Amino acid sequence: MSVHIALLGRTPWALVNTYYASVMKGERPKEVYIVTERRYSHNLPKITEAIKTISEAYGFSPEVKTLIIPDDDFKEADRVLKNLFFELKEKGSDIVLNMTSGRKALVAAAIIHSMESNVWEILYMALLDVQFPNRPYMMLPKHMQVLKNFLGDGNDG
């Protein structure tokens, strides 16, 4: 089973656009987990809807789940992400980690705990010109968006 874990910080479009790029490359997750701090949780309804809309346009419907961590609670971020990666490892899930929008505490905990799991991509999408950050993926010139897989698949920027 394929799972997409997306870390949400202050830039919702970064999360959504990285997910869109991943789907365009062929990812078809059965589940999507959006992990965020409480201060950004007000964005979850629209992000959940965007994930579902993009997925359905490509012919699949993942279950979207959200995890909310108290603001700046490094211990809780570590605990929640450790448990999530452990559960997914036990299920034998293939994982894509989308860290583009994530805050440092979430990104650090996710990368540390992903090392013991079946993570096959750690994605970050750089926006080379930040003049238009709040636009959908397809409304930004493709050459301005570089999708990087930090685990290296030969197709990344």
Side-chain angles (χ1 to χ4, degrees):
M1 175 176 72
S2 173
V3 174
H4 187 100
I5 299 174
L7 307 177
L8 173 61
R10 66 180 161 264
T11 52
W13 278 113
L15 183 155
V16 172
N17 289 347
T18 303
Y19 180 78
Y20 198 156
S22 183
V23 168
M24 287 183 68
K25 282 181 29 176
E27 183 190 358
R28 301 293 183 267
K30 299 284 186 204
E31 295 177 340
V32 175
Y33 288 86
I34 303 168
V35 185
T36 192
E37 291 178 314
R38 185 165 317 288
R39 69 174 59 110
Y40 304 113
S41 63
H42 65 279
N43 290 312
L44 288 172
K46 65 183 174 185
I47 290 174
T48 298
E49 188 62 31
I51 296 296
K52 289 179 179 180
T53 300
I54 291 166
S55 303
E56 289 170 8
Y58 282 83
F60 68 103
S61 298
E63 183 177 355
V64 180
K65 301 176 183 181
T66 60
L67 299 170
I68 301 172
I69 296 167
D71 296 337
D72 302 316
D73 191 334
F74 303 117
K75 286 184 180 181
E76 184 64 7
D78 185 62
R79 186 191 69 75
V80 166
L81 287 160
K82 179 179 184 177
N83 289 343
L84 177 59
F85 279 100
F86 180 79
E87 286 176 30
L88 296 174
K89 180 181 178 182
E90 291 293 305
K91 291 182 187 177
S93 301
D94 293 324
I95 302 167
V96 170
L97 175 59
N98 170 354
M99 65 175 190
T100 304
S101 177
R103 305 260 306 161
K104 289 176 184 74
L106 294 180
V107 170
I111 289 174
I112 288 167
H113 296 299
S114 74
M115 294 169 58
E116 299 295 322
S117 299
N118 190 20
V119 174
W120 54 283
E121 288 187 321
I122 297 176
L123 299 178
Y124 178 81
M125 181 148 36
L127 183 59
L128 301 181
D129 183 348
V130 294
Q131 184 178 359
F132 306 108
N134 296 318
R135 294 201 179 173
Y137 180 66
M138 299 303 282
M139 290 182 67
L140 293 165
K142 192 163 182 179
H143 70 276
M144 287 176 38
Q145 303 173 84
V146 177
L147 184 63
K148 172 72 176 165
N149 174 8
F150 280 91
L151 297 180
D153 63 0
N155 296 320
D156 53 5

